[in-house]
């Protein structure tokens, strides 16, 4: 048996850099620097919210961001640490430790690369929208909940990883509220939300608003909060007080400690990281395609292979899982990016900031990062879907609300698994309802012949509709005819159901005849041997040929 043909490794950057022009370089340089500024506070915030050190977030944005742009299948996608990973990474870190988190991330990288090489990138699109929306909104709620500790300045040594544990810890330590922390967080949120933005094409900016929009609100909020904390000596916990600052270099290259006893417990975490990374990156790439109709559409398989390499490399520097990021990708596009060079410049800009300005981070208040992440969580959720639920059918509502609830109170992996199983069950039920068996009464038939028209697909979920047929036949019936020109699909369960029906009818002295059989059902009937059991008279071209039928 020949091996399946693998997807060729063809980074999009190689194709787009042919004939690369100087004006494109200037545009990509500007876009890359802009995205680098936007990515800086997010990389710090995502790492801290995940329970890691801030430099690990920067290392992820630099290493993984560069590799995803260099090797990916999208023209302008920006990769790096993402908000969707915060809850998952924090849970893995608390249960299995840092070394196993790095190993799980590398394992996810191997799976992502294999998915791309085996051309499985397109399968991610078959995950129902209700499930994607449900777990995305659920993750947003968990991200917001996890920020309450720093937003309120609570003195909690270690936040639990589960939803109810976090609620209990916040309630138990409510008396340790630091009023300066929520004031700082709310001020940062106001700056981020109200600061003029240059990405709203339908609201063009002019004058001073255009000048202000050149810098993102997250950077203004972070800089203002840092200056206020240092200058006014505010009683706030900072990166310096919790972590002792950020080194002016990438974390040293090191292979994580591997122990077989711990690795055996990482199967589910690894699968979770790979699935979530694949979904996030390909959703982001599709958004980028819509915003850049003049650029080539993304190659999902090449994108997954690049994501795999990035997630293999980033943990060697202590990095988090990485994927495509929608907010930074949209910023990149709006800033005028034309090629993956912009993403590589964004990584280089972050590296320059790390080398030159890392000591300044000691004064960054954690409450400010919590406020920024609350805005990220709000923007991440698709909240209007809850208001629109009444417009959709029961299946959509059940999948969305069920996935959302399980993501919040149980686990993302459980939510996706249960959601997919439920989606399959709903699909089977719906398809079974589409299969119909209707009596034909509007055409002349020979005496003793009863005809039924089959419509839809006769598969394992619909075979029960054939079972009561022998009991419903009128007296004197000598042949039952199935008119099958509208039966578009037949599976092996459907064949076995027809065989059982044929034998049940034969015991009553009634023949089974199939008329106008389409190519797929006929091929399966022949391969399963039922066509031979029915004989030459058992399959006819149409109802008009029933004179020769039994």
């Amino acid at each position: 048996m020949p091996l399946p043909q693998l997807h060729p490794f063809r980074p999009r950057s190689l194709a787009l850099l042919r004939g690369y022009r100087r004006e494109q370089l200037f545009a990509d340089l500007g876009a890359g620097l802009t995205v680098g500024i936007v990515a800086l506070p997010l990389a710090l915030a995502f790492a801290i919210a995940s329970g890691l050190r801030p430099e690990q977030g920067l290392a992820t944005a630099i290493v993984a961001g560069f590799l995803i742009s260099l090797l990916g299948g999208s023209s302008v996608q920006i990769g790096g640490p993402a908000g969707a990973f915060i809850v998952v990474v924090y849970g893995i870190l608390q249960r299995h430790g840092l070394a196993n988190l790095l190993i799980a991330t590398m394992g996810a990288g191997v799976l992502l690369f294999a998915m791309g090489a085996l051309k499985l990138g397109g399968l991610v699109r078959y995950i129902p929208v209700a499930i994607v929306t449900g777990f995305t909104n659920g993750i947003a709620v968990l991200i917001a909940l996890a920020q309450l500790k720093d937003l309120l300045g609570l003195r909690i040594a270690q936040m639990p990883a589960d939803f109810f544990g976090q609620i209990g810890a916040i309630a138990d330590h409510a008396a340790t509220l630091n009023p300066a922390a929520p004031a700082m967080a709310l001020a940062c949120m106001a700056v981020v939300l109200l600061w003029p933005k240059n990405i709203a094409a339908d609201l063009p900016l002019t004058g001073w608003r255009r000048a202000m929009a050149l810098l993102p609100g997250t950077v203004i909020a972070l800089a203002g909060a840092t200056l206020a904390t240092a200058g006014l000596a505010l009683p706030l916990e900072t990166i310096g007080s919790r972590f002792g600052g950020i080194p002016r270099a990438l974390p040293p290259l090191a292979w994580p400690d591997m122990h077989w006893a711990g690795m055996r417990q990482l199967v589910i975490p690894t699968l979770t990281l790979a699935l979530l990374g694949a979904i996030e990156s390909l959703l982001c790439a599709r958004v980028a395609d819509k915003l850049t109709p003049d650029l080539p559409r993304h190659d999902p398989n090449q994108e997954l292979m690049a994501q795999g390499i990035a997630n293999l490399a980033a943990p060697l520097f202590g990095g988090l899982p990485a994927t495509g990021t929608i907010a930074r990708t949209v910023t990149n596009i709006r800033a005028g990016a034309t090629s993956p060079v912009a993403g590589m410049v964004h990584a280089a800009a972050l590296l320059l900031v790390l080398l030159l300005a890392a000591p300044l981070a000691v004064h960054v208040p954690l409450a400010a990062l919590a406020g920024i992440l609350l805005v990220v969580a709000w923007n991440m959720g698709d909240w209007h879907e809850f208001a629109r639920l009444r417009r959709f059918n029961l299946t959509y509502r059940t999948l969305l609300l069920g996935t959302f609830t399980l993501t919040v109170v149980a686990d993302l992996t459980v939510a996706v698994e249960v959601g997919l199983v439920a989606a399959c069950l709903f699909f089977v039920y719906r398809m079974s309802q589409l299969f119909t068996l209707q009596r034909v009464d509007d055409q002349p038939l020979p005496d003793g012949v009863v005809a039924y028209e089959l419509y839809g697909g006769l598969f394992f979920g619909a075979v029960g509709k054939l079972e009561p047929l022998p009991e419903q036949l009128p007296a004197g019936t000598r042949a039952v005819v199935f008119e099958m020109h509208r039966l578009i699909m037949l599976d092996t369960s459907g064949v076995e159901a027809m065989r059982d029906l044929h034998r049940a009818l034969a015991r009553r002295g009634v023949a089974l005849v199939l008329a106008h059989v389409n190519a797929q059902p006929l091929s399966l009937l022949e391969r399963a041997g039922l066509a031979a059991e029915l004989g030459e008279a058992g399959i006819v071209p149409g109802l008009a040929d029933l004179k020769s039928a039994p």
Side-chain angles (χ1 to χ4, degrees), residues 212-442:
M212 292 176 65
L214 293 176
L215 286 175
T218 52
V219 174
I220 299 301
L222 192 65
T226 303
L227 291 174
T229 302
L232 302 176
L234 297 177
L236 292 171
E237 189 176 18
T238 65
I239 288 179
S241 64
R242 180 179 294 183
F243 302 103
I246 299 177
R248 296 176 63 173
L250 283 173
L253 185 66
W255 193 268
D257 294 331
M258 293 188 176
H259 303 284
W260 175 244
M263 291 175 60
R264 287 183 300 178
Q265 303 175 10
L266 299 180
V267 175
I268 297 301
T270 300
L271 292 173
T272 301
L273 292 175
L275 178 62
L276 185 57
I279 293 172
E280 285 288 311
S281 64
L282 297 184
L283 285 177
C284 179
R286 293 177 67 181
V287 171
D289 286 344
K290 293 179 182 179
L291 296 176
T292 56
D294 296 332
L295 293 177
R297 294 181 60 83
H298 78 282
D299 179 346
N301 297 308
Q302 180 62 41
E303 187 62 33
L304 289 184
M305 287 192 284
Q307 301 283 342
I309 294 174
N311 281 284
L312 275 170
L316 298 178
F317 295 90
L320 292 72
T323 186
T325 57
I326 294 178
R328 276 158 276 174
T329 297
V330 172
T331 301
N332 189 41
I333 294 169
R334 299 300 190 191
T338 66
S339 77
V341 170
M344 291 183 268
V345 171
H346 130 270
L350 287 173
L351 178 60
L352 190 63
V353 170
L354 178 65
L355 297 177
L356 299 180
L360 300 178
V362 295
H363 300 296
V364 173
L366 299 182
L369 295 177
I372 291 172
L373 280 180
L374 276 181
V375 177
V376 171
W378 176 260
N379 291 333
M380 181 180 174
D382 200 2
W383 310 111
H384 70 277
E385 284 298 302
F386 289 114
R388 299 173 53 202
L389 277 179
R390 62 181 182 276
R391 303 181 185 177
F392 298 102
N393 57 29
L394 178 62
T395 299
Y396 184 90
R397 294 197 296 265
T398 302
L399 289 178
L400 194 154
L401 293 176
T403 306
F404 172 78
T405 303
L406 287 174
T407 300
V408 172
V409 303
D411 181 79
L412 174 64
T413 306
V414 173
V416 174
E417 290 173 349
V418 173
L420 288 175
V421 170
C424 292
L425 293 176
F426 278 123
F427 177 77
V428 169
Y429 174 76
R430 186 170 180 81
M431 292 300 296
S432 68
Q433 295 301 109
L434 294 177
F435 173 76
T436 59
L437 183 73
Q438 296 181 346
R439 178 83 175 262
V440 177
D441 295 322
D442 58 351

Side-chain angles (χ1 to χ4, degrees), residues 25-50:
L25 176 60
F26 289 141
D28 287 336
L29 285 173
L33 291 173
T34 300
V35 179
I37 295 173
V38 173
L40 175 62
L42 297 179
L44 297 173
F46 291 156
I48 294 172
S50 301

Side-chain angles (χ1 to χ4, degrees), residues 1-176:
M1 180 178 178
L3 294 175
Q5 186 176 3
L6 300 180
H7 189 277
F9 190 81
R10 295 174 182 170
R12 181 58 55 84
S13 59
L14 297 181
L16 292 179
L17 291 180
R18 297 190 187 101
Y20 193 67
R21 302 185 305 276
R22 184 173 61 178
E23 54 268 26
Q24 287 182 274
L25 176 60
F26 289 141
D28 287 336
L29 285 173
L33 291 173
T34 300
V35 179
I37 295 173
V38 173
L40 175 62
L42 297 179
L44 297 173
F46 291 156
I48 294 172
S50 301
L52 300 171
R53 293 185 57 85
E55 62 266 25
Q56 292 177 276
L58 287 175
T60 307
I62 294 168
V63 176
F66 184 85
L67 291 174
I68 288 172
S69 294
L70 176 66
L71 305 176
S74 176
S75 303
V76 290
Q77 177 157 268
I78 300 295
F85 279 123
I86 290 176
V87 178
V88 180
V89 170
Y90 188 83
I92 296 174
L93 184 65
Q94 296 302 310
R95 296 183 181 96
H96 304 288
L98 177 58
N100 285 328
L101 168 64
L102 300 179
I103 294 170
T105 302
M106 297 178 72
V110 173
L111 291 179
L112 286 167
F113 188 90
M115 289 170 63
L118 295 173
K119 304 179 181 180
L120 301 179
L123 295 181
V124 176
R125 299 181 180 181
Y126 294 111
I127 297 178
V129 174
I131 294 178
V132 175
T133 303
F135 79 67
T136 300
N137 287 3
I139 290 173
V141 170
L142 291 176
I143 292 174
L145 177 64
Q147 303 319 302
L148 292 183
K149 170 182 175 289
D150 290 331
L151 184 142
L152 299 176
L154 303 179
R155 297 176 183 176
I156 302 176
Q158 188 69 49
M159 281 287 283
D162 64 290
F163 173 76
F164 295 108
Q166 290 179 344
I167 293 291
I170 292 171
D172 293 340
H173 294 80
T176 64

